[in-house]
C-alpha cells in the first residue's frame, strides 16, 4: 500500500510491533541487560555482577577485591563511557520506532531495523573488547600471578578461571533486546516478501555467496601453510593452557585447513599419541623456530634439540631450529643432543 506521496507503507502488524519495540527499548534502560556470575567453593551462593545501561550492580565491590589480588583493574561506573551514552542510544531507537510507526514508511522502517542490527553487533564487539582488556592487561605486581593465565570471562556461556566458574548470560534487558531483534527481523522479512526486485537481488547474492564459498573451500583445501599463533591469547589444544612463550610451540594443519595449536612439543606428541586426530587427516606439522620467535617452520625441514636448560613450558625441553647452523650455535650454550622428530615421538 502507498500513501498520498506515493511512498510504500508498512503493514499494520509492523506498525504495532514498531510501537511495542519502542516501548520495550525504554524498559531496557531500567533493567539489567547482562549478568556475570562467579561460583567457587568459598562463595557457595555465588557472586553476581549485573550490567545495566547506566551502571554496574550486584557484588561489584567483592569482585573488585578479588580482582585486586590477581592484578585485574577494579570496575567503576565512571571508567565506562558506555554508561553515559547507552541510555540515550536506547531512547533514540525507541523514538525512532515511534516515528516509524507514525509515518508508516517502509524505507524509514528498513533504516531503523538495519541500524538496530548494526548497533547490536557493535555492542557485542565492544563488550568482548571490554572483557578482553580487563582479563589480559594485568598488574605485574599482583599478589597472585600464574604465568600465561588470563582472566577474560566468556562472552556468553561458561569458562573456568582458576577455582572460579564464570558464567555470562543475558539478563532481562538482554532477552528483551533479543526479542526486539527477532521481531524486527520477522517484520523485515514480512515487508520484503512482495518486493520482487529485492528477491532478485537476494538470488544474485546467494549465487555470489555460493561462488565465494567454493573459492574459499578450494583455497583452504590447497593451502597447507601454517596459521599464526597468537601468543597470550590462543590456548593449547591439548593442555588448554594459554600459549605464552613465543620461542616454543607447534601446530597441526589438517588437509581440510583445520588448525590445532600447542604450547610445547610435549603437547603435540601427547595429542598424536592419544589419537585425538587421524594421522591420515594431517596436512602438515609445524614447529616454532627457537632462534626466531613466533616463526613457524615445517617439521620435515626442522632440526630438533633436547637440553634440560631450555625449560620448555610443559617439560619436553625440546626445541626446533630452521637451520643446522642455528642449532649448532645454541648447542654451544646448552648441554644437550640433536634428535629427529621420529625419534622424539618414539621416546
Amino acid at each position: 500500500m502507498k500513501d498520498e506521496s506515493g511512498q510504500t507503507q508498512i503493514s499494520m502488524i509492523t506498525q504495532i510491533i514498531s510501537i511495542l519495540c519502542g516501548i520495550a527499548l525504554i524498559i531496557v534502560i531500567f533493567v539489567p541487560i547482562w549478568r556475570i556470575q562467579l561460583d567457587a567453593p568459598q562463595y557457595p551462593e555465588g557472586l553476581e555482577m549485573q550490567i545495566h545501561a547506566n551502571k554496574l550492580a550486584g557484588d561489584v565491590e567483592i569482585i573488585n577485591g578479588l580482582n585486586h589480588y590477581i592484578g585485574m583493574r577494579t570496575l567503576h561506573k565512571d571508567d565506562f563511557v558506555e554508561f553515559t551514552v547507552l541510555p540515550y542510544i536506547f531512547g533514540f531507537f525507541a523514538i525512532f520506532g515511534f516515528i516509524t510507526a507514525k509515518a508508516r514508511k517502509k524505507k524509514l522502517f528498513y533504516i531503523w531495523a538495519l541500524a538496530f542490527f548494526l548497533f547490536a553487533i557493535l555492542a557485542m564487539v565492544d563488550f568482548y573488547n571490554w572483557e578482553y582488556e580487563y582479563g589480559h592487561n594485568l598488574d605485574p605486581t599482583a599478589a597472585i600471578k600464574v604465568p600465561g593465565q588470563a582472566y577474560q570471562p566468556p562472552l556468553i556461556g561458561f569458562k573456568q578461571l582458576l577455582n572460579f566458574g564464570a558464567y555470562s548470560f543475558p539478563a532481562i534487558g538482554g532477552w528483551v533486546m533479543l526479542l526486539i531483534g527477532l521481531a524486527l527481523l520477522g517484520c523485515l522479512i514480512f515487508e520484503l516478501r512482495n518486493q520482487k526486485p529485492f528477491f532478485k537481488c537476494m538470488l544474485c547474492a546467494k549465487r555470489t555467496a555460493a561462488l565465494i564459498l567454493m573459492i574459499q573451500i578450494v583455497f583452504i583445501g590447497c593451502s597447507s601453510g601454517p596459521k599464526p599463533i597468537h601468543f597470550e591469547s590462543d590456548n593449547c589444544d591439548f593442555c588448554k593452557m594459554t600459549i605464552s612463550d613465543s620461542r616454543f610451540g607447534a601446530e597441526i594443519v589438517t588437509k581440510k585447513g583445520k588448525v590445532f595449536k600447542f604450547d610445547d612439543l610435549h603437547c603435540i606428541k601427547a595429542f598424536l599419541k592419544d589419537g585425538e586426530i587421524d594421522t591420515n587427516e594431517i596436512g602438515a606439522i609445524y614447529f616454532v623456530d627457537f632462534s626466531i620467535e613466533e616463526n613457524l617452520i615445517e617439521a620435515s625441514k626442522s632440526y630438533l634439540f633436547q637440553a634440560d636448560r631450555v625449560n620448555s613450558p610443559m617439560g619436553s625441553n625440546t626445541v626446533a631450529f630452521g637451520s643446522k647452523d642455528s642449532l649448532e650455535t645454541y648447542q654451544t650454550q646448552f648441554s644437550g643432543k640433536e634428535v629427529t622428530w621420529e625419534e622424539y615421538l618414539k621416546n
Side-chain angles (χ1 to χ4, degrees):
M1 187 172 64
K2 296 183 179 181
D3 59 17
E4 295 178 356
S5 63
Q7 294 193 38
T8 307
Q9 291 184 311
I10 58 174
S11 65
M12 184 174 291
I13 293 175
T14 300
Q15 184 184 28
I16 294 172
I17 290 178
S18 295
I19 295 172
L20 293 176
C21 287
I23 296 171
L25 283 163
I26 293 175
I27 293 174
V28 171
I29 298 175
F30 302 99
V31 296
I33 300 172
W34 211 267
R35 64 185 183 92
I36 295 176
Q37 182 176 328
L38 301 174
D39 290 341
Q42 62 268 44
Y43 294 99
E45 297 181 358
L47 300 173
E48 183 172 292
M49 180 176 69
Q50 299 170 352
I51 303 173
H52 292 244
N54 61 346
K55 65 179 180 179
L56 295 170
D59 302 309
V60 180
E61 292 305 319
I62 298 176
I63 293 173
N64 277 340
L66 295 170
N67 288 349
H68 172 74
Y69 286 106
I70 58 176
M72 290 180 68
R73 289 161 51 195
T74 53
L75 302 165
H76 302 284
K77 171 186 172 181
D78 295 340
D79 294 337
F80 300 93
V81 67
E82 291 90 342
F83 291 141
T84 301
V85 302
L86 271 179
Y88 294 102
I89 292 175
F90 288 134
F92 165 78
F93 277 108
I95 294 171
F96 203 154
F98 297 144
I99 293 173
T100 299
K102 176 68 175 176
R104 296 192 64 183
K105 294 179 180 178
K106 277 194 176 183
K107 288 184 179 180
L108 198 61
F109 174 75
Y110 296 158
I111 293 171
W112 179 48
L114 294 175
F116 179 83
F117 296 145
L118 179 61
F119 162 71
I121 294 170
L122 292 177
M124 293 305 293
V125 171
D126 179 67
F127 183 41
Y128 174 84
N129 289 336
W130 172 79
E131 288 187 319
Y132 185 90
E133 173 75 15
Y134 271 77
H136 286 79
N137 292 336
L138 307 176
D139 183 353
T141 63
I144 300 174
K145 289 182 288 187
V146 181
Q149 177 68 48
Y151 301 96
Q152 180 182 357
L155 184 64
I156 185 168
F158 171 81
K159 186 176 182 180
Q160 189 69 35
L161 301 173
L162 296 180
N163 65 324
F164 279 88
Y167 298 84
S168 178
F169 290 103
I172 296 173
W175 292 116
V176 171
M177 289 285 288
L178 178 61
L179 289 175
I180 292 171
L182 291 174
L184 290 179
L185 180 60
C187 288
L188 194 62
I189 295 171
F190 180 76
E191 294 298 335
L192 290 168
R193 72 193 190 286
N194 293 323
Q195 299 287 333
K196 293 182 180 179
F198 168 79
F199 282 107
K200 286 182 180 179
C201 180
M202 286 295 291
L203 181 60
C204 180
K206 286 182 179 179
R207 290 173 177 170
T208 302
L211 179 60
I212 292 173
L213 181 61
M214 290 176 62
I215 292 172
Q216 288 178 332
I217 292 172
V218 171
F219 178 79
I220 291 172
C222 294
S223 174
S224 59
K227 307 300 184 292
I229 296 176
H230 300 103
F231 293 91
E232 300 294 348
S233 60
D234 284 344
N235 291 330
C236 175
D237 280 295
F238 179 75
C239 70
K240 310 306 179 184
M241 295 290 287
T242 302
I243 306 175
S244 57
D245 195 327
S246 56
R247 301 172 302 164
F248 303 91
E251 189 173 283
I252 293 174
V253 181
T254 69
K255 293 176 181 177
K256 294 183 178 179
K258 187 174 182 180
V259 176
F260 297 92
K261 300 178 181 180
F262 308 91
D263 59 354
D264 188 8
L265 266 65
H266 164 79
C267 289
I268 189 173
K269 175 181 176 181
F271 187 83
L272 292 169
K273 284 196 169 184
D274 286 354
E276 297 289 342
I277 184 174
D278 185 343
T279 54
N280 293 324
E281 296 178 1
I282 297 175
I285 294 176
Y286 299 88
F287 304 135
V288 173
D289 190 334
F290 188 74
S291 61
I292 307 175
E293 295 187 15
E294 302 188 18
N295 184 51
L296 288 164
I297 50 177
E298 195 169 348
S300 60
K301 300 177 181 178
S302 64
Y303 300 85
L304 301 187
F305 178 69
Q306 283 185 334
D308 292 338
R309 290 177 58 195
V310 299
N311 295 321
S312 67
M314 299 303 293
S316 73
N317 296 332
T318 304
V319 292
F321 295 93
S323 70
K324 186 78 170 180
D325 291 341
S326 296
L327 184 149
E328 291 175 349
T329 298
Y330 279 87
Q331 199 167 16
T332 61
Q333 302 177 30
F334 302 101
S335 176
K337 63 178 182 178
E338 182 181 354
V339 295
T340 66
W341 173 233
E342 290 73 22
E343 288 172 342
Y344 177 73
L345 285 176
K346 291 178 182 178
N347 292 336

